[in-house]
């Protein structure tokens, strides 16, 4: 039921009929072994392996805290009136260009960006969030610009934490509004 493609590279220009039969017999003999060795994936498995950015950031933060480091997250929510095609991806690219090698930035959805900072205290994260806000304000056409709503939350290694780091940063943003 499966399809297998085999590619041969050789110095000679054409296969003879005998060589083609030998190659087909070899492929026919190998196909059951290859199919048994390679696990098949289904549509459900492919979709199940993709994780939302929020879940991934929560796991990365948990790993950082387990290693004894602070983990800070910044969530920036853009007003629906500011949304424009390609706006958030361009902002994420600008943010990623300014982050340290171990830090991460990504889109949570069509109006939110999250930035995960390893080893950044709450004060450092607040400083970085204000720098990010200034960077986004100077995006060129400032007419009608509304600054994004920004929330910051930091996990500390010695303090217990339950729930989502991203949700805590969102709550922080709502507390500032």
């Amino acid at each position: 039921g499966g399809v297998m493609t085999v590619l041969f590279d050789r110095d000679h220009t054409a296969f003879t009929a005998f060589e083609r039969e030998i190659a087909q017999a070899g492929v026919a003999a190998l196909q059951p072994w290859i199919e048994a060795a390679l696990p098949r994936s289904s549509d459900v498995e492919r979709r199940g392996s993709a994780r939302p950015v929020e879940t991934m950031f929560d796991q990365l933060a948990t790993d950082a805290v387990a290693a004894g480091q602070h983990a800070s997250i910044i969530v920036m929510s853009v007003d629906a009136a500011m949304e424009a095609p390609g706006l958030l991806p361009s902002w994420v690219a600008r943010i990623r260009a300014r982050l340290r090698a171990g830090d991460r930035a990504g889109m949570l959805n069509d109006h939110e960006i999250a930035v995960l900072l390893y080893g950044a205290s709450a004060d450092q994260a607040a400083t970085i969030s204000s720098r990010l806000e200034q960077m986004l304000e100077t995006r060129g056409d400032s007419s009608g610009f509304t600054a994004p709503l920004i929330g910051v939350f930091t996990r500390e290694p010695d303090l217990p934490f339950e729930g989502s780091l991203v949700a805590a940063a969102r709550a922080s943003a709502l507390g500032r509004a």
Side-chain angles (χ1 to χ4, degrees):
V3 175
M4 187 165 75
T5 303
V6 177
L7 176 67
F8 292 96
D9 183 25
R10 54 184 263 152
D11 294 333
H12 303 288
T13 55
F15 280 100
T16 65
F18 177 71
E19 290 171 326
R20 193 169 316 137
E21 288 177 21
I22 296 291
Q24 287 174 341
V27 169
L30 286 175
Q31 185 171 359
W33 291 354
I34 292 171
E35 286 180 354
L38 298 175
R40 292 183 180 242
S41 62
S42 67
D43 290 338
V44 174
E45 290 171 350
R46 279 192 286 266
R47 277 179 259 154
S49 66
R51 294 188 304 167
V53 171
E54 181 172 344
T55 304
M56 185 176 65
F57 278 15
D58 283 335
Q59 183 59 52
L60 291 170
T62 300
D63 294 347
V65 170
Q69 294 188 27
H70 287 79
S72 295
I73 192 150
I74 302 167
V75 173
M76 296 176 279
S77 181
V78 178
D79 183 7
M82 281 298 298
E83 289 183 32
L87 177 67
L88 261 57
S90 69
W91 282 4
V92 169
R94 289 179 70 185
I95 291 167
R96 284 180 179 158
R98 288 166 177 78
L99 292 178
R100 300 173 298 179
D103 297 334
R104 303 282 183 258
M107 291 177 47
L108 296 171
N109 52 46
D110 61 347
H111 64 277
E112 287 182 314
I113 296 173
V115 178
L116 178 64
L117 306 170
Y118 289 100
S121 68
D123 291 339
Q124 292 167 328
T127 300
I128 292 169
S129 72
S130 64
R131 287 180 186 165
L132 291 175
E133 185 175 17
Q134 289 172 0
M135 179 188 75
L136 299 178
E137 285 175 354
T138 60
R139 66 183 181 107
D141 60 338
S142 57
S143 61
F145 178 77
T146 304
L149 188 60
I150 298 178
V152 181
F153 189 81
T154 301
R155 277 192 64 187
E156 297 180 27
D158 299 332
L159 298 178
F161 178 79
E162 293 287 327
S164 167
L165 192 63
V166 172
R170 281 182 182 133
S172 167
L174 293 176
R176 287 182 173 186

